[in-house]
Amino acid sequence: MQRVIVLLLAALDAAIAAAIGLAAVLAPFTLLWVLSFGVDADWGALWPVSGTLWQFGHGVPLQVVLPDAVLSGLAIPKEAATFALSVPPLAMLLFTVIFAARSGRRAAIAGAWLSGVLSGAVVFALISAVVGLTAHSSVLRAPQWAAILIPAAAYLAGLLIGAVRYAWAEGDGGLVDRVHDIVDGWGDWSPVPAETLRGAAAAVVALTGAAALGVAAMTLLRGGEVIALFEAARVDVLGATMLTLAHLVYLPTLLVWSASWLAGPGFALGTGTAVSPAGTSVGVVPGIPVLGLVPANSSMWMLVAVLLPIACGALAGWIVRSRLVWERVGTGIWPRTAIAVGIAAVSAGVVALAAVLASGSIGPGRLSEVGPAVGPFALAIGIEVLIGAGILLLTPRHRDELAEERTDRWREQMGGDVSDLTAPVD
């Protein structure tokens, strides 16, 4: 495929990703504007709010400045008129990263991944700059540099993940292949980088699944509390619909909180509060319906939940060990130790980034501290994943595993009868 076509397609992908994200914000707000204010509403205020919320969905922190009319109408004290809002709905950020990864992979398949990455990143950065320069709201304010750079950085990260992953697996005839050749020359240590990332990806995906099961279980157990909070909000059909949509886009954020709870450190719902398997101490919480899922009390028996992250690490270790046996590489104890430590370190780094995005401020006063603590969450996941992965990667090789490896080697080299080689190996 010609390089120009790759450039154009990557640029088109970036434009589509930005357009879908902006439309996902504009569409419900346009409907809300029409039903609430009619066709004679001030449409000039719709784009600044929508553009700022699009930036917020990509992790841009906001400063909320409530006007005097709102303060007097809702009887809000003046000291609460300005506060930070820095816990974004991560669904939009995930969409952008996944869409970018698919675009980067297509550019790598076409044989010009570097050109595709540069083209897509530049176009998305230009769109982000246009949104940042035109969407200025008096109520929702974002730092100019963050409004431009953070969405562009998220899209660039997705592009690189998709492109480099495919180029490493299939080759690109360029920089990635040269690095791959260098790593292949490491002998028994050659699988360490690739298997470390593979195992960390498996551990993070498994941890996400465990967190989703935790949210589902709490929905079954405490769904009545959520319904009661919906009813207490006293909103009409339109308000209930908007509130439900807000809950859905915050679902990935809730999964990060759930994962932190499973790991042990838990999360906060305000300054001086804690929600963890060891105990729950929250006091008065905002009447947000989804917060009805928070357990009213905890028991020391709930600490058994930390076995789930250990199981996620064990699953990652089993996947990596199976590949090492199949490819007959990384047989030494030290390469496997490095892989186990690498899986734990990368997993801890991923959850640390997720905790940074899923924690911060959601309101004035004590609500300026919500979400998981980054350090304890990352440390707990690193230790638990290391235990699970280490058990699977560092245990002595079983006789059946050795026999299977010997049989596969004979089949590959000789292609003969292997019935005499399947006996147990001492």
Side-chain angles (χ1 to χ4, degrees), residues 14 24 125 144 169 190 196 202 240 316 397 409 417:
Q144 193 70 66
S190 60
T196 293
R397 305 175 71 189
R409 186 181 297 111
D417 186 13

Side-chain angles (χ1 to χ4, degrees), residues 15-410:
I16 291 174
I20 292 176
L22 289 169
V25 179
L26 273 171
F29 271 91
T30 302
L31 179 62
L32 177 64
W33 227 256
V34 172
L35 296 180
S36 299
F37 306 108
V39 294
D40 297 329
D42 180 15
W43 292 95
L46 180 61
W47 166 249
V49 173
S50 299
T52 304
L53 290 178
W54 179 80
Q55 298 163 357
F56 179 59
H58 287 87
V60 178
L62 301 180
Q63 183 184 38
V64 180
V65 181
L66 299 177
D68 293 336
V70 175
L71 294 178
S72 59
L74 299 178
I76 299 175
K78 289 187 176 182
E79 56 268 18
T82 303
F83 58 90
L85 187 63
S86 56
V87 181
L90 295 181
M92 184 173 295
L93 178 64
L94 286 177
F95 165 79
T96 299
V97 172
I98 292 173
F99 199 101
R102 292 174 61 86
S103 178
R105 185 177 185 276
R106 285 193 292 267
I109 292 175
W113 69 267
L114 185 57
S115 300
V117 166
L118 292 176
S119 175
V122 169
V123 170
F124 198 89
L126 290 175
I127 296 174
S128 179
V130 171
V131 175
L133 294 173
T134 59
H136 292 287
S137 172
S138 60
V139 178
L140 302 174
R141 303 175 182 178
Q144 193 70 66
W145 66 269
I148 296 174
L149 293 181
I150 292 180
Y155 194 81
L156 175 60
L159 286 171
L160 290 174
I161 290 172
V164 174
R165 180 183 180 279
Y166 182 87
W168 183 271
E170 304 296 335
D172 69 335
L175 176 61
V176 175
D177 276 350
R178 289 196 291 270
V179 175
H180 205 305
D181 292 339
I182 294 174
V183 174
D184 286 342
W186 292 355
D188 206 32
W189 291 82
S190 60
V192 171
E195 298 307 322
T196 293
L197 295 178
R198 190 189 312 277
V204 171
V205 171
L207 183 62
T208 304
L213 288 177
V215 173
M218 294 308 300
T219 303
L220 292 176
L221 295 174
R222 296 184 57 83
E225 297 292 333
V226 176
I227 295 174
L229 289 173
F230 259 108
E231 294 174 347
R234 298 185 182 276
V235 293
D236 55 10
V237 176
L238 178 60
T241 302
M242 297 298 292
L243 198 56
T244 302
L245 291 176
H247 281 53
L248 290 177
V249 296
Y250 266 98
L251 183 58
T253 306
L254 297 177
L255 293 183
V256 178
W257 293 14
S258 176
S260 184
W261 190 92
L262 293 176
F267 55 91
L269 283 177
T271 304
T273 64
V275 180
S276 70
T280 299
S281 175
V282 293
V284 179
V285 297
I288 303 174
V290 73
L291 296 183
L293 299 179
V294 176
N297 48 58
S298 300
S299 170
M300 292 301 294
W301 290 102
M302 289 185 177
L303 289 173
V304 178
V306 301
L307 294 177
L308 289 176
I310 294 176
C312 295
L315 175 64
W318 176 75
I319 292 174
V320 171
R321 179 171 180 144
S322 299
R323 288 186 59 86
L324 294 178
V325 171
W326 177 258
E327 297 177 359
R328 299 193 296 275
V329 293
T331 57
I333 187 66
W334 293 115
R336 294 195 177 199
T337 301
I339 292 174
V341 173
I343 291 174
V346 174
S347 300
V350 172
V351 300
L353 177 61
V356 169
L357 294 172
S359 61
S361 172
I362 62 172
R366 62 193 298 268
L367 295 180
S368 62
E369 184 180 339
V370 299
V374 178
F377 183 23
L379 180 61
I381 288 296
I383 294 174
E384 290 158 5
V385 169
L386 178 61
I387 293 173
I391 291 174
L392 267 293
L393 283 170
L394 303 180
T395 52
R397 305 175 71 189
H398 192 267
R399 62 178 62 187
D400 293 339
E401 188 178 56
L402 293 170
E404 181 182 356
E405 179 181 347
R406 184 181 177 188
T407 300
D408 291 338
R409 186 181 297 111
W410 177 266

